[in-house]
Amino acid sequence: MDDIEELRAKHLAAVAAARDAEALEAARIAALGKKGEISLKMRELGRMSPEERKSAGPALNALKDEIDAAVRARRAEIEDAALEERLEAEWIDVTLPARPRPSGTIHPVSQVMDELTAIFADMGFAVAEGPQVETDWHNFDALNIPPEHPARQEHDTFFMARAGDDERPPHVLRTHTSPVQIRAMQQQGAPLRVIAPGRVYRMDMDQTHTPMFHQVEGLAVGRDISMANLKWTLEEFCRAFFEVETVELRFRASHFPFTEPSAEVDIRCSWADGQLRIGEGDDWMEILGSGMVHPRVLRAGGIDPDQWQGFAFGIGIDRLAMLKYGIPDLRAFFESDLRWLRHYGFAALDIPELAGGLSR
Ligand code: DAH
């Protein structure tokens, strides 16, 4: 009897000590396998006297069942622990961004375009697009700039010539985003509210001019849209864009062929200590051109000027980026210098939106 007790203690301890499936299987075989200690003991029953067998038989059987149950219980425990460990190790946070540390940055021009789009989208303006290789007609004639108009010379146009292709209407690299006004009116009709950010081209190159630069065009057409709507829209835009509480704009009478009346808009600012501050100070800085859409322009876009009227504006995006982010030289924008991009670029996963702050 004593050695049964000993066997019991020994094998139960071995089962309890098994840390993994293999160790447990080894402990099971040592007790209950063909040559296991308990199996061998059971084989000895045949050589015992009937009395001995009577007491040892049931005791050994009970021990066999007990160890069998202990092995089973331990196996379940080991499997649970292994599953637990896997779940812990293979846990995935599906809310993490796809690439936690993107190495590229967003160019200030792209950043400003995203900011503009967020602000104007909030005011109900959709984004419209047009081609960069534009017809002479969309770029000039439709905007009330006929061939003999002096404004054509001012635009320093890149003309697109194709040898022997007299059939095709003349094309230019668009000199401004204003032709998108015409395309948007033709496509959408009235009423409409669009902005059109994009590249424009002029044959010009010095510290403040590059042959390719960026503008955003704005156009709102409705039954009774007025200069007052234009003023509110631009003030609201500047407040949101420069992330200041108040801005003051000054409308100066001007002339553009595609608007009547026309106004250039200056923003109040200060240059104290070489630092630009928007919304305070005694200086004024010109930031955009604007006006009420000329009736001829509406007509060129297929809209009846007796029924509809609207405002338009055009803003230089590169200038806005330089002002907001204190970037001194325009030419550096297009040199693709990685050190410059790392310094002035924006984190790729921070998408500008009004609620969270445009330029966090
Ligand atoms: N297209 C003009 C330029 O490139 C800018 C401009 C002025 C656009 C007045 C407008 C506007 O829509 O109303 O210089």
Side-chain angles (χ1 to χ4, degrees):
M1 261 348 240
D2 282 353
D3 38 327
I4 285 197
E5 209 31 63
E6 228 169 78
L7 276 179
R8 182 173 180 275
K10 176 181 165 188
H11 289 287
L12 283 180
V15 168
R19 293 268 136 249
D20 55 33
E22 285 105 80
L24 180 63
E25 182 61 5
R28 189 190 68 80
I29 290 169
L32 308 177
K34 259 192 198 149
K35 290 181 183 151
E37 272 191 292
I38 293 169
S39 313
L40 294 177
K41 263 272 179 285
M42 290 181 104
R43 245 174 266 163
E44 286 171 17
L45 286 174
R47 283 184 263 123
M48 289 179 189
S49 65
E51 291 83 57
E52 275 179 320
R53 199 184 305 145
K54 222 174 176 178
S55 71
L60 272 174
N61 260 325
L63 178 58
K64 179 179 166 253
D65 289 347
E66 189 180 354
I67 290 182
D68 197 48
V71 167
R72 248 185 264 245
R74 184 71 193 131
R75 184 177 296 136
E77 271 172 28
I78 288 172
E79 281 171 3
D80 281 357
L83 181 62
E84 203 56 42
E85 199 173 308
R86 255 188 76 190
L87 287 175
E88 194 68 32
E90 293 175 11
W91 183 80
I92 290 173
D93 181 353
V94 293
T95 67
L96 279 177
R99 277 168 295 154
R101 257 180 303 153
S103 53
T105 59
I106 300 295
H107 194 286
V109 168
S110 304
Q111 170 75 17
V112 166
M113 284 198 190
D114 290 347
E115 293 180 18
L116 293 167
T117 306
I119 297 168
F120 281 110
D122 195 55
M123 297 195 264
F125 286 75
V127 172
E129 283 181 319
Q132 292 174 39
V133 176
E134 185 55 282
T135 69
D136 195 61
W137 184 83
H138 283 92
N139 195 81
F140 293 120
D141 303 64
L143 290 162
N144 195 29
I145 314 176
E148 66 287 354
H149 198 287
R152 287 222 183 190
Q153 272 68 59
E154 284 162 29
H155 275 219
D156 304 311
T157 312
F158 286 107
F159 295 94
M160 308 293 289
R162 268 201 192 170
D165 190 355
D166 297 334
E167 297 290 290
R168 199 164 172 264
H171 281 65
V172 299
L173 286 181
R174 69 178 181 195
T175 59
H176 49 180
T177 44
S178 302
V180 187
Q181 288 188 33
I182 305 297
R183 292 185 178 272
M185 287 190 279
Q186 288 175 330
Q187 280 161 18
Q188 301 177 29
L192 89 162
R193 246 183 280 177
V194 292
I195 57 162
R199 292 182 169 185
V200 300
Y201 303 84
R202 289 185 202 178
M203 230 185 300
D204 206 352
M205 181 74 172
D206 59 33
Q207 174 132 22
T208 54
H209 296 89
T210 49
M212 185 280 295
F213 56 105
H214 301 83
Q215 289 186 337
V216 59
E217 195 76 14
L219 172 67
V221 176
R223 291 280 180 204
D224 48 20
I225 284 186
S226 71
M227 287 292 272
N229 301 126
L230 170 66
K231 185 158 187 276
W232 181 87
T233 303
L234 292 175
E235 276 170 1
E236 200 57 23
F237 162 69
C238 288
R239 217 175 46 71
F241 178 74
F242 289 109
E243 300 180 59
V244 290
E245 283 299 314
T246 53
V247 292
E248 203 183 323
L249 298 184
R250 182 171 76 176
F251 281 64
R252 243 182 322 104
S254 180
H255 177 265
F256 300 104
F258 29 88
T259 44
E260 181 59 37
S262 304
E264 280 176 298
V265 177
D266 306 332
I267 191 166
R268 186 184 281 283
C269 63
S270 94
W271 281 105
D273 317 320
Q275 261 258 329
L276 173 70
R277 279 189 201 82
I278 299 289
E280 53 185 76
D282 295 323
D283 284 328
W284 294 94
M285 193 172 44
E286 184 196 319
I287 52 166
L288 61 93
S290 65
M292 296 301 293
V293 182
H294 196 290
R296 285 200 195 134
V297 174
L298 288 171
R299 209 172 287 125
I303 290 176
D304 180 358
D306 294 327
Q307 303 285 326
W308 304 93
Q309 57 188 38
F311 67 68
F313 57 84
I315 315 178
I317 290 182
D318 314 272
R319 257 266 288 223
L320 282 187
M322 292 170 78
L323 291 175
K324 181 166 179 181
Y325 295 113
I327 306 172
D329 187 352
L330 173 69
R331 286 172 297 190
F333 272 62
F334 310 118
E335 279 168 1
S336 301
D337 182 334
L338 272 182
R339 291 164 305 172
W340 187 91
L341 286 166
R342 281 195 201 106
H343 182 77
Y344 288 111
F346 291 80
L349 294 172
D350 286 347
I351 292 161
E353 32 115 13
L354 288 175
L358 279 182
S359 61
R360 268 163 302 172

